[in-house]
């Protein structure tokens, strides 16, 4: 084939080292080729042999050498160098692959993150800074690009854990003929402005928190249900089985005042009950005062063995027993027996025999 038909890959690492590779097993399956290069622009060029070969199954498949100028010419020859198999001249500045960004910093403010890095010493105008990020819920990376060396984006959810990475890219076609980018800076994990070691720890922590809260809620719900059932059971028990009164509280004076002496307590209680009953049942009586003349007139008409009491007079004399008898008998016009004494009742007079 033609000398221009060979496919090569040319990379200028940050304008410091050049790497040129070719498909040795496909292009030259029968022999091991040699490589030489020069950065001279004069007519009589000084060719330099490859200082470091890259091998593919013991065959030379590339060369690594130092970048010494903007214009490069290289030649691929047979093993002894007598025949040139491929040659090419190029601008080495158009094949630059930048280095990784240095001193990368992340600045978080609410839902916005801003990334910055140090500016390279050369070729800053040809570089852009690219930021990529994704959460554990995203399948693909989200990308944002800005001029070197600051880029930012907003809309970050503080409840999510994000993976972030940055790199430098070379502008095409203004600065490079090949779209070369630096290697990615080490990937970092962030959540709400906090640097994390692993997003799995956050997910596990959130799962544990949800589990603990669920257990607490279940326990509280069970306690509430038990309290409701207990209240209903107490109501049902009271309605079905009436409570038996405790004699300790009913007969407080029996134990406190009489030390459990039932006979002493019952005697005192009967006396108190009778007295209370009499006081309670005693009606209000108005004993009308009889004139002295009517008392004397009625007393003359009675037999000598009859002892006549004028209860109206007794009432005037403030006789309590007579007043009680008068009150008891005031509603009846018949003969009654009170304490073994026969009493004759008239409208105005009571005669006790």
């Amino acid at each position: 084939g033609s000398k221009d038909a060979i496919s090569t890959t040319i990379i200028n690492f940050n304008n410091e080292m050049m790497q040129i590779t070719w498909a040795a097993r496909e292009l030259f399956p029968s022999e091991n080729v040699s490589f030489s290069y020069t950065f001279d622009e004069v007519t009589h060029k000084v060719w330099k042999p490859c200082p470091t070969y890259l091998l593919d199954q013991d065959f030379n498949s590339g060369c690594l050498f130092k970048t010494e100028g903007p214009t490069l010419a290289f030649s691929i020859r047979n093993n002894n160098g007598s025949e040139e198999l491929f040659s090419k001249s190029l601008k080495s500045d158009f094949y630059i692959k930048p280095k990784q960004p240095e001193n990368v910093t992340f600045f978080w403010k609410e839902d916005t993150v801003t990334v910055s890095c140090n500016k390279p010493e050369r070729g800053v105008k040809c570089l852009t800074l690219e930021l990529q990020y994704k959460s554990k819920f995203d399948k693909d990376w989200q990308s944002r690009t800005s001029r070197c060396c600051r880029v930012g984006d907003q809309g970050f959810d503080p409840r999510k854990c994000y993976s972030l990475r940055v790199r430098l890219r070379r502008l095409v076609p203004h600065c490079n003929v090949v779209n070369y980018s630096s290697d990615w800076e080490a990937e970092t994990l962030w959540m709400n402005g906090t640097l994390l070691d692993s997003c799995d720890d956050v997910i596990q922590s959130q799962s544990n928190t949800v589990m603990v809260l669920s257990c607490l809620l279940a326990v509280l719900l069970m306690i509430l249900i038990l309290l409701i059932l207990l209240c209903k059971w107490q109501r049902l028990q009271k309605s079905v089985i009436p409570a038996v009164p405790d004699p300790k509280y009913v007969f407080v004076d029996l134990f406190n005042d009489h030390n459990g002496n039932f006979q002493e307590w019952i005697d005192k209680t009967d006396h108190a009950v009778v007295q209370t009953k009499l006081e309670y049942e005693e009606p209000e009586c108005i004993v009308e005062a009889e004139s002295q003349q009517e008392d004397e007139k009625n007393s003359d008409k009675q037999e000598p063995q009859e002892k006549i009491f004028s209860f109206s007079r007794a009432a005037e004399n403030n006789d309590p027993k007579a007043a009680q008898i008068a009150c008891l008998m005031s509603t009846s016009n018949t003969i009654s027996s009170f304490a073994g004494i026969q009493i004759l009742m008239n409208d105005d007079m009571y005669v006790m025999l």
Side-chain angles (χ1 to χ4, degrees):
S2 170
K3 294 182 180 180
D4 295 332
I6 297 177
S7 176
T8 58
T9 302
I10 304 168
I11 303 175
N12 183 359
F13 291 102
N14 199 39
N15 209 24
E16 296 174 357
M17 296 293 294
M18 294 290 300
Q19 175 181 290
I20 301 176
T21 58
W22 56 87
R25 302 298 297 169
E26 297 177 3
L27 297 176
F28 314 107
S30 59
E31 61 180 326
N32 204 0
V33 297
S34 62
F35 180 88
S36 59
Y37 69 95
T38 182
F39 287 93
D40 292 337
E41 298 181 5
V42 295
T43 305
H44 299 285
K45 299 178 181 180
V46 179
W47 295 90
K48 297 180 180 180
C50 176
T52 304
Y53 278 103
L54 304 177
L55 302 179
D56 180 13
Q57 299 180 3
D58 296 331
F59 284 87
N60 297 333
S61 61
C63 182
L64 183 65
F65 53 95
K66 186 178 179 180
T67 304
E68 299 176 0
T71 304
L72 171 66
F74 65 89
S75 174
I76 297 176
R77 295 176 176 268
N78 58 4
N79 190 22
N80 57 19
S82 60
E83 181 183 0
E84 186 178 75
L85 303 177
F86 177 75
S87 64
K88 186 174 183 178
S89 297
L90 53 92
K91 292 289 185 181
S92 61
D93 293 344
F94 286 165
Y95 295 86
I96 293 178
K97 179 178 181 178
K99 289 197 310 183
Q100 292 178 329
E102 297 179 348
N103 193 22
V104 179
T105 58
F106 296 85
F107 177 74
W108 290 78
K109 185 177 181 182
E110 297 178 355
D111 65 338
T112 303
V113 61
T114 303
V115 184
S116 61
C117 67
N118 290 345
K119 292 183 178 181
E121 296 179 359
R122 295 177 294 179
V124 176
K125 296 181 179 180
C126 291
L127 296 175
T128 59
L129 182 63
E130 181 182 9
L131 167 66
Q132 285 191 348
Y133 59 89
K134 69 174 181 178
S135 69
K136 291 297 180 179
F137 305 98
D138 300 328
K139 295 182 179 180
D140 300 323
W141 289 92
Q142 305 294 322
S143 182
R144 295 293 181 271
T145 303
S146 180
R147 289 282 184 176
C148 187
C149 293
R150 185 182 182 89
V151 63
D153 197 10
Q154 60 183 6
F156 288 85
D157 190 342
R159 298 169 297 180
K160 294 181 180 180
C161 179
Y162 289 92
S163 301
L164 286 84
R165 62 183 184 180
V166 293
R167 66 180 178 180
L168 290 172
R169 299 185 63 177
R170 192 84 171 163
L171 292 176
V172 177
H174 306 289
C175 299
N176 261 35
V177 295
V178 182
N179 188 11
Y180 281 149
S181 301
S182 71
D183 295 334
W184 289 105
E185 179 66 15
E187 185 176 328
T188 55
L189 303 175
W190 296 82
M191 180 176 180
N192 197 20
T194 302
L195 182 63
L196 303 176
D197 294 331
S198 174
C199 289
D200 295 334
D201 297 338
V202 176
I203 296 175
Q204 184 67 26
S205 176
Q206 292 176 348
S207 301
N208 293 338
T209 303
V210 172
M211 185 178 297
V212 171
L213 292 177
S214 300
C215 292
L216 290 177
L217 183 61
V219 170
L220 293 177
L221 184 60
M222 290 179 63
I223 293 175
L224 180 61
I225 293 175
L226 289 176
L227 291 176
I228 294 174
L229 293 177
L230 181 61
C231 294
K232 290 188 176 181
W233 169 251
Q234 290 179 350
R235 292 182 181 179
L236 180 62
Q237 189 177 19
K238 287 181 180 180
S239 61
V240 175
I241 307 175
V244 178
D246 190 350
K248 177 181 178 182
Y249 301 101
V250 178
F251 305 101
V252 176
D253 52 349
L254 172 63
F255 298 98
N256 294 341
D257 300 339
H258 302 283
N259 296 324
N261 191 334
F262 182 77
Q263 188 61 42
E264 179 183 345
W265 173 76
I266 197 64
D267 292 341
K268 185 174 180 180
T269 304
D270 288 344
H271 176 71
V273 170
V274 171
Q275 184 177 0
T276 303
K277 184 175 181 182
L278 290 175
E279 292 177 356
Y280 176 76
E281 293 181 353
E282 180 181 356
E284 181 181 0
C285 289
I286 301 175
V287 181
E288 297 181 357
E290 300 291 339
S291 64
Q292 184 176 4
Q293 294 177 357
E294 291 180 353
D295 291 342
E296 293 177 356
K297 183 177 178 179
N298 292 332
S299 62
D300 293 339
K301 294 181 181 181
Q302 301 297 327
E303 295 180 0
Q305 67 274 16
E306 295 178 353
K307 188 173 182 180
I308 303 173
F309 290 93
S310 176
F311 294 103
S312 61
R313 188 183 300 276
E316 292 177 356
N317 295 332
N318 296 325
D319 188 345
K321 293 184 178 180
Q324 290 178 2
I325 295 172
C327 291
L328 293 172
M329 302 306 174
S330 61
T331 59
S332 177
N333 291 324
T334 62
I335 299 175
S336 301
S337 175
F338 182 78
I341 301 175
Q342 197 173 27
I343 301 173
L344 178 63
M345 296 173 290
N346 293 324
D347 293 336
D348 300 327
M349 181 84 60
Y350 301 92
V351 180
M352 180 167 56
L353 302 179

